[in-house]
Amino acid sequence: MSDLTRAAADVRAAAETQQQAAVAALAPAYIPACPGAGKTHVITTRHLQSPARSLRKGRALISFTRVARDQMASRCRRAGRGDLVQAPHFIGTLDSFLWEFLVKPLRKAEPACRLLESWAGVKATVQLDRAIPLHQFPLTLDPDPDLPIKQMEAVAWDRVDYNTARILEDSPFSRIDWLDKIIETREPWLEQGYCTGHETRMLALWCLRSSRASRILPPLLSRFAEVIVDEAQDCSAADLAILELLHQAGLPLVLVGDPDQAIYAWRGAEPQALQQLAAQLTGTPVPLTGNWRSSPVICRLAATLRSGQRAPDTPVVSAEEIPVGILPTRFAARGSNHHHAPTDESVVDVFHSLAREYGIDSPDCLVTAHKYATLPGITREKSNTSPITSLAWARTVAHTATASSGDLVRACTVAVRTLLSYWFPDETGGTDRICAAHDLSASQINRTAFAFLHSLPAPHKGWAQDVWQAMKAWPAPASAAPQNTRGRLAGHPVVTKAAVTTGLWTNSVYQVKGDQADAVLLMLPDTGSIQRWATGDPATDEVLRIWYVAVTRARRLVALAVHEDETEALTRLLDRHEIRTRLV
């Protein structure tokens, strides 16, 4: 065996030893894991080692996305352990865990409880001097234990969409008045059994801090031997407060995460908050520092974007030394038509050509950025946008050949909501309850809604009138009872442009977190980005952590699109860290 082969084997053995230690660590425990460390493998292996017999106690595997949830469940089934996805075990999202075990047990049996993705799923309108849908107000939660429950909530006014902000500009009512009305409007919906993730967290905190904890904690502690929280750095302040209360109650927690990938500060996710909770867990942290995804160059690049000036993670399976591509770019003031300065070609096309030089095909190329507006692709729907803008977004998705299946599902949901609001104006429940009340097949109503969506003309300033005419002309169910103009959408849509077809995978950093690609192009359109990179502290600067998440999605090649007058500064910065670069 050559020295190089022996060294590679030693590196692999060391990484496997770390994983085995994480699998065997006793709860409560904290497992800090670098990108590409094989967290899902560790978590599912830990779960798969459960005895193949019925246990009185099970294990909960909690993630933040349905994709991660489905991946863990699928691995258990492929291993022939379908029992591990059934009671007493639990595999699901944090929202569903809190709902099922901390909130739902205390709710009335009738009406049936329903966890909504957002209040857009029902026809809830906040009415003062003007009417605004409830879902257009993004609510935040302060988990301070000294605050009474009625003072825990606030509206994130800086996240209110443009149209809603304009509508509110000349309202004589104060923000406090609007918040009071929002709470009042929501109350009957809570009584009907509806909740979103926000209310679920608020109710969970209230229950855990009150005498009701004696009703919900014993069944939880009896059922689960441990609860594993994956991507723990994504926990909000309220999430961490709930987990801390569960830990103090005796529920064994295993937190798996990477504080340097905390990129949801707007909902209270901060690296220091996770570290504070992790410090309460007994035992020494069990780190995973072997990177099974990225090349040595990418590991060294990533180390410049994280806190603590720690040494680069150890590349386990790759020894490839493809240099970091630096693409001098002239960024468009508006839109995403960015040009490669030396050739005046699209910077995305130049990146595509660069990837092909290294044998990387289009499906393995990712173009990403902090903001959607920087990217060549479809604008995402905002959860708190106006109904007419949501429908305009949905119509654009229906006419976009490269739209993802997830976007198509959300677009269809918007169209269903629009038609049901017009056909059944007196029905106030969610779409599932309306369809059940009128004996409407879910598959049929989805097909009808999508056909309606596809028939609409392209959005424009006066598009609401076109939508209204189409709604009146569209064939309705026999039980439909439209009433004059009720259900009519008003206002001017924020027009979403159809996606530019690049042949490459395009999405924001927030949406690709947890994914990977052979080649990644990170757009850095803001002037001063390189100065920020060189002098900022990732512990306090979320933008640097966002860039860290982006570059660590790559397996073989990272390319950076920067302002043409900043390429020299970037080259010097990476040279100081002994990172090979290539000016393209």
Side-chain angles (χ1 to χ4, degrees):
M1 181 184 295
S2 69
D3 290 343
L4 287 176
T5 304
R6 185 177 296 106
D10 290 344
V11 167
R12 188 182 188 97
E16 290 174 343
T17 298
Q18 282 188 335
Q19 290 185 335
Q20 291 163 5
V23 167
L26 297 177
Y30 173 49
I31 303 174
C34 75
K39 297 194 304 331
T40 303
H41 168 75
V42 167
I43 293 169
T44 52
T45 300
R46 185 182 181 96
H47 196 37
L48 287 167
Q49 291 185 359
S50 301
R53 58 183 173 82
S54 178
L55 295 176
R56 186 177 70 84
K57 285 194 173 185
R59 177 182 285 111
L61 309 186
I62 297 175
S63 65
F64 277 84
T65 67
R66 294 187 181 93
V67 173
R69 172 202 65 187
D70 294 344
Q71 187 180 34
M72 290 188 289
S74 176
R75 290 192 182 192
C76 291
R77 293 190 180 97
R78 288 200 306 269
R81 296 297 307 276
D83 59 299
L84 295 180
V85 301
Q86 301 170 359
H89 307 291
F90 173 86
I91 300 179
T93 63
L94 182 59
D95 277 15
S96 61
F97 178 83
L98 299 179
W99 172 253
E100 288 293 332
F101 300 109
L102 298 182
V103 176
K104 192 175 177 181
L106 298 178
R107 306 289 289 176
K108 299 176 182 177
E110 293 293 337
C113 297
R114 175 72 188 278
L115 178 61
L116 301 172
E117 287 195 11
S118 87
W119 287 113
V122 296
K123 293 190 288 184
T125 302
V126 183
Q127 177 77 57
L128 281 175
D129 62 316
R130 58 208 68 195
I132 300 174
L134 175 59
H135 74 273
Q136 290 179 229
F137 294 97
L139 293 171
T140 61
L141 190 62
D142 186 342
D144 186 337
D146 294 329
L147 288 175
I149 189 169
K150 291 186 178 181
Q151 295 179 24
M152 292 170 63
E153 295 181 281
V155 176
W157 294 105
D158 59 331
R159 288 173 40 223
V160 171
D161 78 284
Y162 177 77
N163 277 356
T164 304
R166 288 288 300 274
I167 293 171
L168 289 167
E169 274 181 359
D170 57 348
S171 171
F173 292 94
S174 69
R175 291 184 172 184
I176 293 177
D177 293 332
W178 278 102
L179 177 59
D180 289 342
K181 192 64 178 180
I182 289 166
I183 304 304
E184 178 186 326
T185 301
R186 187 187 58 189
E187 191 59 33
W189 292 99
L190 294 177
E191 290 295 323
Q192 292 181 51
Y194 290 105
C195 268
T196 72
H198 170 83
E199 288 76 28
T200 297
R201 284 158 173 77
M202 180 178 65
L203 292 171
L205 276 171
W206 175 57
C207 290
L208 289 171
R209 290 170 176 170
S210 70
S211 60
R212 292 192 170 201
S214 62
R215 294 172 56 188
I216 57 176
L217 283 174
L220 193 65
L221 296 173
S222 176
R223 175 165 177 172
F224 295 114
E226 70 178 29
V227 173
I228 303 177
V229 182
D230 189 19
E231 303 288 3
Q233 75 280 346
D234 291 343
C235 288
S236 68
D239 296 335
L240 292 173
I242 292 168
L243 292 175
E244 182 176 9
L245 289 169
L246 292 177
H247 167 66
Q248 292 172 352
L251 187 67
L253 296 180
V254 178
L255 303 183
V256 185
D258 178 3
D260 289 306
Q261 293 189 64
I263 61 173
Y264 297 104
W266 56 269
R267 68 183 188 197
E270 291 289 349
Q272 297 85 348
L274 172 60
Q275 300 283 21
Q276 290 169 5
L277 176 57
Q280 297 182 35
L281 305 182
T282 58
T284 304
V286 185
L288 297 174
T289 60
N291 188 320
W292 297 73
R293 174 190 301 152
S294 301
S295 71
V297 170
I298 296 170
C299 288
R300 291 196 295 273
L301 177 68
T304 69
L305 286 167
R306 67 184 185 189
S307 59
Q309 298 182 337
R310 289 175 286 130
D313 298 318
T314 305
V316 179
V317 297
S318 174
E320 197 170 23
E321 292 280 353
I322 297 177
V324 175
I326 298 178
L327 281 59
T329 304
R330 288 196 295 270
F331 289 96
R334 292 184 178 181
S336 55
N337 190 21
H338 312 304
H339 287 86
H340 181 236
T343 64
D344 204 37
E345 297 178 20
S346 163
V347 71
V348 173
D349 290 342
V350 173
F351 163 65
H352 196 185
S353 298
L354 176 64
R356 284 197 297 262
E357 285 187 34
Y358 296 105
I360 302 173
D361 296 329
S362 301
D364 294 319
C365 294
L366 166 66
V367 181
T368 190
H370 181 186
K371 300 176 181 177
Y372 280 110
T374 306
L375 298 170
I378 195 163
T379 301
R380 299 284 290 191
E381 180 199 26
K382 293 183 178 179
S383 61
N384 59 325
T385 195
S386 65
I388 191 67
T389 292
S390 286
L391 189 65
W393 170 86
R395 189 270 177 197
T396 303
V397 168
H399 286 263
T400 300
T402 56
S404 69
S405 59
D407 280 345
L408 290 170
V409 169
R410 285 191 292 274
C412 191
T413 299
V414 170
V416 168
R417 194 164 62 227
T418 300
L419 288 175
L420 292 182
S421 294
Y422 170 60
W423 288 337
F424 307 105
D426 291 327
E427 297 281 2
T428 58
T431 56
D432 57 332
R433 292 186 184 175
I434 295 175
C435 288
H438 294 274
D439 197 25
L440 299 176
S441 159
S443 59
Q444 180 59 45
I445 197 69
N446 284 335
R447 287 194 295 271
T448 298
F450 195 79
F452 164 76
L453 194 62
H454 204 274
S455 73
L456 295 175
H460 56 88
K461 186 175 182 180
W463 191 58
Q465 179 62 26
D466 293 340
V467 172
W468 174 236
Q469 295 302 325
M471 289 169 64
K472 291 192 296 181
W474 201 257
S479 57
Q483 297 178 16
N484 300 321
T485 60
R486 291 182 64 185
R488 180 174 182 173
L489 303 186
H492 304 304
V494 176
V495 178
T496 300
K497 295 180 180 179
V500 176
T501 302
T502 65
L504 309 182
W505 174 23
T506 303
N507 221 327
S508 80
V509 178
Y510 295 102
Q511 296 300 316
V512 301
K513 190 170 179 291
D515 290 312
Q516 55 188 316
D518 278 352
V520 171
L521 171 62
L522 172 61
M523 301 280 199
L524 299 174
D526 297 329
T527 56
S529 291
I530 309 310
Q531 178 68 13
R532 184 175 203 158
W533 191 331
T535 62
D537 181 3
T540 56
D541 190 340
E542 187 186 39
V543 171
L544 296 179
R545 300 197 297 271
I546 289 170
W547 297 348
Y548 172 76
V549 170
V551 301
T552 56
R553 301 309 93 201
R555 287 186 287 258
R556 301 178 58 203
L557 167 68
V558 168
L560 304 168
V562 298
H563 280 277
E564 55 183 322
D565 56 357
E566 295 191 351
T567 54
E568 185 178 346
L570 177 58
T571 301
R572 289 197 305 269
L573 170 65
L574 299 186
D575 282 346
R576 288 200 301 272
H577 292 278
E578 300 181 350
I579 298 168
R580 292 180 59 200
T581 60
R582 174 182 171 184
L583 186 62
V584 181

